[in-house]
Amino acid sequence: MKILSTLQRAAGALGAAALLAACNPPAATETSAAAGGPSAYFAPTETGVKTGGVQVIPIKRPKGTFNVWTKRFGNNAKIKVLLLNGGPGATHEYFECMESFLPKEGVEFIYYDQLGCGNSDNPRDTAMWSLPRYVEEVEQVRQALKLDSTNFYLLGHSWGGILAAEYAFKYQKNLKGLIISNMMMSCPAYGKYADEVLAKQMKPAVLAEIRKIEAAKDFSNPRYMGLLEPNFYAQHLCRIVPNPEPVTRAMSKINQSLYVTMQGPSEFGISGKLTHWDRVPDLPKLSVPFLSIGGQYDTMDPAHMRMIATKVQKGAALICPQGSHMSMYDDQETYMKGLLTFLKSVDDKSFKAGMAM
């Protein structure tokens, strides 16, 4: 009887504890992954046959309809980040590092290969490599994915930063937040920084040989890349050598037609369609919460990227002290911590201009 009585008391205590826990559930966290667990974050939104979040979106243009590839990762009704890759002409694949950081914080993100890139159609028509046309493409993608000002964050890296900024100047009413990663808002200023600062950091003999190859327009010469990789790329593009596999994979697929048309063939500055692009005077028009990310060793001027955040109405800057142009890899913890701080602070309305990331 004593044993039974003890068991009865223990059962009663457990029942009381369970009732107390039910009446006082753990505090809900901000993100769907934490609140609903993995089943909520990875809940499929597709109807019919499941495709792992892949959605191919038809882009309608006067020259015809072309398909672009997207893939949703995770599920969060309030934070959806559309990723715009750089290059121009690279692929979404170098953003795969996001999978190691964003899901555990419940942040939904969407891979997207722009027209001419990766898994999307390539019309092989240089007339379509146009900044205004790409802006309208992003808008069609937004509509197809049902993103709006309650959840839509746009993150553009490098060339993708130019595209993201240009989209915001026309369509910021659709955005909840804007992240410009590793990009200046003036191509002439970028060219000047490359010529007057970065080039002068090279050994004179190396720079002279590079300039000679460029003057001859001999960009296919293996010696050109042989000089650039150790003397420029390893210093300013990605300081992890050899590069992380997703970076190598994405860059190996770059659309050279798109790259040269928009950027030009030289790695020092811009000589393509973007040569005169300069939006610094227009930055005060941007009222959406804004984060400028850069690296201390970037191909872009860190001082300029700090300045951008002071010109917009609600801006903050994050300059990764160990980072280069691929700061999401070579100063990864700083980059991801700052990005997540921004996303969460905008979501909970604690974001303030100039706040530390």
Side-chain angles (χ1 to χ4, degrees):
M1 291 294 294
K2 185 174 182 181
I3 293 174
L4 180 60
S5 176
T6 301
L7 290 173
Q8 287 173 331
R9 286 196 299 272
L14 288 171
L19 180 61
L20 182 62
C23 294
N24 297 279
T29 56
E30 298 174 359
T31 59
S32 61
S39 61
Y41 182 70
F42 291 106
T45 60
E46 305 120 313
T47 57
V49 176
K50 306 298 186 292
T51 60
V54 170
Q55 183 174 344
V56 176
I57 298 170
I59 302 298
K60 297 180 180 178
R61 300 301 303 162
K63 292 189 175 185
T65 299
F66 304 90
N67 292 322
V68 299
W69 180 94
T70 69
K71 179 180 172 68
R72 179 183 63 82
F73 201 103
N75 183 27
N76 185 329
K78 299 191 298 179
I79 306 178
K80 301 176 185 291
V81 185
L82 181 65
L83 302 171
L84 303 183
N85 63 261
T91 77
H92 75 280
E93 291 163 287
Y94 69 83
F95 283 127
E96 287 174 354
C97 59
M98 300 288 182
E99 296 178 26
S100 298
F101 296 88
L102 272 56
K104 63 185 177 183
E105 299 296 334
V107 172
E108 176 181 336
F109 56 100
I110 303 154
Y111 295 130
Y112 158 36
D113 280 338
Q114 301 148 31
L115 191 66
C117 300
N119 298 322
S120 295
D121 285 351
N122 181 1
R124 303 184 187 280
D125 182 353
T126 57
M128 297 191 72
W129 310 149
S130 155
L131 182 53
R133 192 211 60 76
Y134 273 113
V135 168
E136 298 310 314
E137 177 181 313
V138 174
E139 174 58 8
Q140 289 190 46
V141 168
R142 179 198 70 81
Q143 293 176 19
L145 295 174
K146 297 180 172 57
L147 308 174
D148 58 40
S149 60
T150 68
N151 54 34
F152 179 28
Y153 295 80
L154 189 59
L155 187 158
H157 173 258
S158 192
W159 140 255
I162 293 177
L163 178 54
E166 204 65 28
Y167 177 88
F169 282 120
K170 186 170 184 179
Y171 291 114
Q172 67 175 317
K173 66 182 185 298
N174 299 328
L175 291 168
K176 188 172 182 178
L178 176 64
I179 304 102
I180 304 296
S181 178
N182 307 87
M183 190 64 223
M184 296 162 67
M185 289 293 100
S186 168
C187 286
Y190 161 47
K192 183 177 181 181
Y193 181 72
D195 188 53
E196 296 183 1
V197 178
L198 298 182
K200 291 181 179 178
Q201 293 176 10
M202 289 185 176
K203 296 177 181 178
V206 170
L207 179 60
E209 189 173 356
I210 289 172
R211 293 299 196 205
K212 183 178 179 181
I213 293 172
E214 291 191 333
K217 301 187 184 303
D218 190 15
F219 297 104
S220 62
N221 187 333
R223 180 64 177 163
Y224 186 56
M225 293 304 296
L227 291 167
L228 286 175
E229 285 177 356
N231 295 289
F232 186 72
Y233 290 163
Q235 302 301 317
H236 304 293
L237 185 70
C238 183
R239 293 170 71 84
I240 300 173
V241 179
N243 292 165
E245 192 275 340
V247 176
T248 301
R249 179 160 30 97
M251 296 308 167
S252 71
K253 299 177 182 179
I254 198 162
N255 181 336
Q256 287 294 330
S257 168
L258 175 51
Y259 182 85
V260 173
T261 300
M262 302 296 284
Q263 154 84 24
S266 174
E267 294 302 318
F268 293 100
I270 292 180
S271 59
K273 287 185 177 181
L274 296 171
T275 300
H276 303 294
W277 185 81
D278 187 344
R279 281 294 206 161
V280 172
D282 299 314
L283 288 172
K285 297 176 183 177
L286 294 179
S287 59
V288 66
F290 181 107
L291 176 63
S292 174
I293 305 179
Q296 188 61 39
Y297 300 97
D298 212 320
T299 54
M300 305 292 159
D301 182 1
H304 182 106
M305 291 182 285
R306 286 192 189 93
M307 174 274 292
I308 293 169
T310 69
K311 297 293 185 182
V312 298
Q313 295 178 35
K314 300 174 186 174
L318 170 66
I319 304 302
C320 302
Q322 303 303 319
S324 68
H325 200 54
M326 287 287 181
S327 296
M328 71 278 287
Y329 283 98
D330 50 24
D331 201 348
Q332 197 165 69
E333 295 294 333
T334 304
Y335 185 103
M336 297 300 177
K337 178 177 180 291
L339 173 60
L340 288 164
T341 297
F342 174 76
L343 295 172
K344 292 181 179 182
S345 65
V346 173
D347 184 54
D348 67 17
K349 298 182 171 55
S350 64
F351 176 78
K352 291 182 173 52
M355 70 180 288
M357 292 292 123

